[in-house]
Structure formats: structure tokens, C-alpha cells
Amino acid sequence: QQLRDYIKKDKDIRERFYLEPLHTLTVYYGEPRWNAPRTLSDMMKCPDIYDGIVNDWNAHIIDIKDIDVELFQNEDNRDLIKGIQMFYQSNIDNFKPHMEVSKDIAILIMSIVNNEDFIEIIQEEEGEKIDMCTLTDQIRMVGKQEGLVEGKQEGLVEGKREGKLEERISLLVELLKGRFNSLSYEIVINIENSNLEQLDSLKTHFYEINNQEDIIRILNTSK
């Protein structure tokens, strides 16, 4: 994109072309610890004589469970990371009591940890804050009642595929409206006509969306 922008400039005003550096980070938010390769060389079997000669690439993967939440200045970002870490804790006695987050952050946490069946419960709660410790207790209690394997959060409420699709559409539209104050009619129609794979992609890349054109790009890429 940088090169395309450079070529578009008039030749008379072009200066020497330099690339602006780009640093890509991957935040892994799965429940198990990341134990896959982090570099290209980790995926190879190379003799020692090739050390330092073969081209390598570092993936810069950050496990969300290892992030120091106190480094975040933004309260919502801090609550989001802390909530996810809290949900993945195996010992409930280690939870910090009465951790409250906004409804939007609680919904994002449940989406990221793949426990979307509790989103409706969050939405029906009175007030603008959700007690994550209380919510986690409810999830664990339901999990035990349903005979779920501890640490594996599966779907807790069975419903028709169409119903889940409508809930996901409604949630994404609401979150995106909150981010951009409003959404164009075209954007809303595109989201409503999307399949589950497209909606999942939109949820996964939520924090990469800087404008409404990015929404269309993500939906089209996921077709």
C-alpha cells in the first residue's frame, strides 16, 4: 500500500522511497498455553552449519494469559484482558472479588472465551456494570449441572442455527454502532446478510476495524 501511494505521486515531487516500518503482533486468546512454534526456524530441521544463514521470521505471538494488565492505561482494555485471564483461572479462589466491568466488555469477554450463551444473561442484567465473579460462578454452576468437562466451555443453551445467527448479528451491530456512533444502512444490510463464518471473522478482527470500510473488507474476505 505504501508503494502504491508513492507511485500515485507526481514524479516531479517524488523523493527517495523508504518503507515505513511495520510491526505485527498476534494476540493468542485460547485457553491452553501456546506451545506451537513461534519462529519459522522452529518448524524446520536444519543442520547446525545453516545457523544464521537460513532466512527466519519471528511471529511475535503474545499469550493473553501472560499479559501484565497493569501496563494498560485504558480502563476498558485493562478490564477486557483481566476478565479473560480471570475466566481461564483454574482455581476460583484466586479470583479477585467483585470485579466489575461494563456490559459491552463483559459481552466481548464471553465472545472471546467462546461462551456466547451467557450474552443474553448479561444483556438482561439491570445497570451498566457486570460482576465478573458472580457471572463466572453462574457459568461454572451451569457447567457442572450439564456435566461439562471442567475448563471446556461448550454451548450451554441449545437453539436453532437461525436464532444464534440473529443474536450474533444483533450483538455485532450494537457493538459497532457503539464504536462509530452510527452505521450506514448499507453496512447494516451487509451484516444482516452475512453467514456465521463472516460474523465470526468480524468478531475476531473487531479491534482491527478503524472505519466502516474495514467492516465491508472483512466480510468480503471471509466469503
Side-chain angles (χ1 to χ4, degrees), residues 49-158:
I49 60 173
Y50 290 110
D51 285 349
I53 300 176
V54 176
N55 290 335
D56 202 358
W57 182 74
N58 190 338
H60 297 293
I61 296 169
I62 299 174
D63 194 321
I64 204 167
K65 296 178 289 297
D66 297 330
I67 295 176
D68 182 359
V69 295
E70 300 305 324
L71 296 176
F72 288 91
Q73 296 182 4
N74 180 278
E75 182 180 0
D76 284 344
N77 289 337
R78 188 167 55 248
D79 287 347
L80 176 64
I81 303 299
K82 188 187 295 185
I84 295 170
Q85 291 177 345
M86 183 176 166
F87 188 86
Y88 284 149
Q89 283 282 353
S90 60
N91 184 358
I92 200 166
D93 294 332
N94 291 333
F95 289 171
K96 295 182 179 179
H98 308 303
M99 174 188 167
E100 292 188 336
V101 301
S102 69
K103 278 188 174 181
D104 286 345
I105 295 300
I107 289 171
L108 272 177
I109 292 171
M110 290 298 100
S111 297
I112 288 173
V113 300
N114 197 26
N115 210 318
E116 299 179 4
D117 295 311
F118 274 82
I119 289 176
E120 186 176 348
I121 295 176
I122 295 172
Q123 292 172 326
E124 291 176 354
E125 286 285 329
E126 296 181 358
E128 296 301 319
K129 293 285 186 178
I130 299 296
D131 188 320
M132 285 302 298
C133 294
T134 302
L135 182 63
T136 305
D137 283 342
Q138 292 176 335
I139 292 172
R140 287 181 179 273
M141 186 178 299
V142 172
K144 289 178 181 178
Q145 291 172 348
E146 296 293 329
L148 297 178
V149 177
E150 186 175 358
K152 301 292 184 180
Q153 298 301 330
E154 301 177 0
L156 303 177
V157 179
E158 293 186 359

